[in-house]
Amino acid sequence: MFKKFTREDVHSRSKVKSSIQRTLKAKLVKQYPKIEDAIDELIPKKSQIELIKCEDKIQLYSVDGEVLFFQKFDELIPSLKLVHKFPEAYPTVQVDRGAIKFVLSGANIMCPGLTSAGADLPPAPGYEKGTIVVINAENKENALAIGELMMGTEEIKSVNKGHSIELIHHLGDPLWNFSVE
Amino acid sequence: MLREVIYCGICSYPPEYCEFSGKLKRCKVWLSENHADLYAKLYGTDDNTQEVEAVTNKLAESSIGEAREEKLEKDLLKIQKKQENREQRELAKKLSSKVIIKREARTKRKFIVAISGLEVFDIDMKKLAKTFASRFATGCSVSKNAEKKEEVVIQGDVMDEVETYIHSLLEEKGLKDVKVETIDAKKKKKPAAEGAAK
């Protein structure tokens, strides 16, 4: 999604009304229930969310000059900076060490990278197809990417072949390096 | 409640991912200077013996097997080398290029100062133009010159001030040895170039 993304792709920037800010926060909590404990720290009541509309109908939401989450269609997707601050709230999978290199250059994640010994998938029933997952790596503390499941986690375990996660956002991609100012 | 994650000042990743960024050497230096405790945790202390230990530990922790780990390590080294080469080339390019500050006469006592050759140094031209405009209280803009390259044009005779400012700007970036050339295009149409070193 952010393979190519520069300042030229930004169409408009506007401040979000406080009423809309409230609904946004409610939506975020609805999507990631566990985030509720930290939401007021992540987005303080007094803070000003800024909406940045970009090419391809991508919308970024930033607080204090830091992009916290973004949205392409209906779903809000946290940025890695947000994930690093409060990692517990999102569905998470883990890839093995061999995969890190490829993920950091933006490759989709293949099934074997999620099923090998160093990797970790949640136990059954797992997550459904289409879930936004945070991708962690073996022996690492922080997440390195965010993606969307192209098949359910149970299916990944049984098929174990081909693409399994479509990468949305990873460390070092243009969004990661994007600064609002 | 919230976690504070430290990001590497060189590659911007969390330090544990520095090894994949291809800038590991500089990352290590940065980390040891800024967050010594983290450095010790990730890379062990300076002694060689401990480094070896760290490597073996890493191997033990890693699940992908020694052969694959070795291959990975090799690939990472390759990336690192590539990156280093690229950086060196860029630096050489930066050092060999020069900044040109040119004063041109317009009408009688009016001058414009044009600065070109900045694009190599990752300087935001628009921002620079803005700072000049507010600093000298003049009009200042970015435009394309005859060679289709961007230059900053300042309305007003402020060449000397601009020169000192550019010097300080370059020094900030650690590029003290970059040549800054000033050209004074007098009305006589006989450009008297002052060869300004450093």
Side-chain angles (χ1 to χ4, degrees), chain B residues 22-72:
Chain B
K23 301 174 190 164
L24 184 59
K25 267 187 198 159
R26 286 198 293 143
C27 289
K28 269 182 168 177
V29 172
W30 180 87
L31 197 65
S32 64
E33 273 170 10
N34 291 286
H35 299 281
D37 49 333
L38 246 176
Y39 183 83
K41 194 177 142 206
L42 283 174
Y43 305 112
T45 29
D46 283 339
D47 294 331
N48 258 337
T49 47
Q50 263 174 326
E51 207 161 287
V52 171
E53 212 170 276
V55 169
T56 37
N57 272 344
K58 217 167 67 208
L59 270 182
E61 273 174 19
S62 168
S63 64
I64 54 178
E66 211 162 315
R68 272 186 69 192
E69 180 69 31
E70 230 163 70
K71 188 173 171 284
L72 180 67

Side-chain angles (χ1 to χ4, degrees), chain B residues 33-116:
Chain B
E33 273 170 10
N34 291 286
H35 299 281
D37 49 333
L38 246 176
Y39 183 83
K41 194 177 142 206
L42 283 174
Y43 305 112
T45 29
D46 283 339
D47 294 331
N48 258 337
T49 47
Q50 263 174 326
E51 207 161 287
V52 171
E53 212 170 276
V55 169
T56 37
N57 272 344
K58 217 167 67 208
L59 270 182
E61 273 174 19
S62 168
S63 64
I64 54 178
E66 211 162 315
R68 272 186 69 192
E69 180 69 31
E70 230 163 70
K71 188 173 171 284
L72 180 67
E73 213 85 329
K74 234 188 229 164
D75 285 348
L76 286 180
L77 267 181
K78 222 193 263 170
I79 297 176
Q80 206 173 320
K81 218 168 207 172
K82 251 192 206 162
Q83 182 79 25
E84 263 168 34
N85 283 345
R86 193 188 309 154
E87 271 166 24
Q88 246 164 24
R89 246 178 294 137
E90 263 166 32
L91 191 69
K93 201 174 149 200
K94 274 181 189 174
L95 286 178
S96 65
S97 59
K98 59 186 174 183
V99 180
I100 299 170
I101 304 173
K102 199 169 165 191
R103 188 172 85 145
E104 286 169 65
R106 275 179 58 246
T107 52
K108 283 179 187 168
R109 286 173 51 219
K110 302 228 189 294
F111 294 94
I112 59 170
V113 176
I115 310 155
S116 53

Side-chain angles (χ1 to χ4, degrees), chain A residues 16-26 45 48-49:
Chain A
V16 172
K17 278 187 197 160
S18 67
S19 57
I20 296 175
Q21 191 162 333
R22 239 177 294 136
T23 42
L24 258 178
K25 270 163 89 169
K45 278 208 176 94
Q48 175 67 59
I49 300 186

Side-chain angles (χ1 to χ4, degrees), chain A residues 7 37-38 41-42 80-81 84-87 96-98 100-101 104 117-118 136-144 171-172 176-177 181, chain B residues 1-7 11-17 19-21 41 58 61-64 68-69 71-73 75-76 79 124 127:
Chain A
R7 192 150 300 176
D37 306 333
E41 276 182 82
L42 290 167
L80 276 170
K81 297 243 161 83
H84 287 162
K85 276 188 192 138
F86 193 71
D96 63 18
R97 202 174 138 73
I100 298 176
K101 192 180 89 181
L104 285 184
N136 240 329
E138 185 187 359
N139 295 334
K140 305 282 183 196
E141 225 175 278
N142 297 311
L144 82 158
L171 280 184
W176 173 259
N177 293 322
E181 289 316 310
Chain B
M1 189 97 172
L2 295 186
R3 282 208 312 195
E4 273 301 319
V5 179
I6 294 160
Y7 297 114
C11 63
S12 83
Y13 295 174
E16 49 186 358
Y17 288 106
E19 53 179 326
F20 295 97
S21 70
K41 194 177 142 206
K58 217 167 67 208
E61 273 174 19
S62 168
S63 64
I64 54 178
R68 272 186 69 192
E69 180 69 31
K71 188 173 171 284
L72 180 67
E73 213 85 329
D75 285 348
L76 286 180
I79 297 176
D124 192 342
K127 246 185 201 162

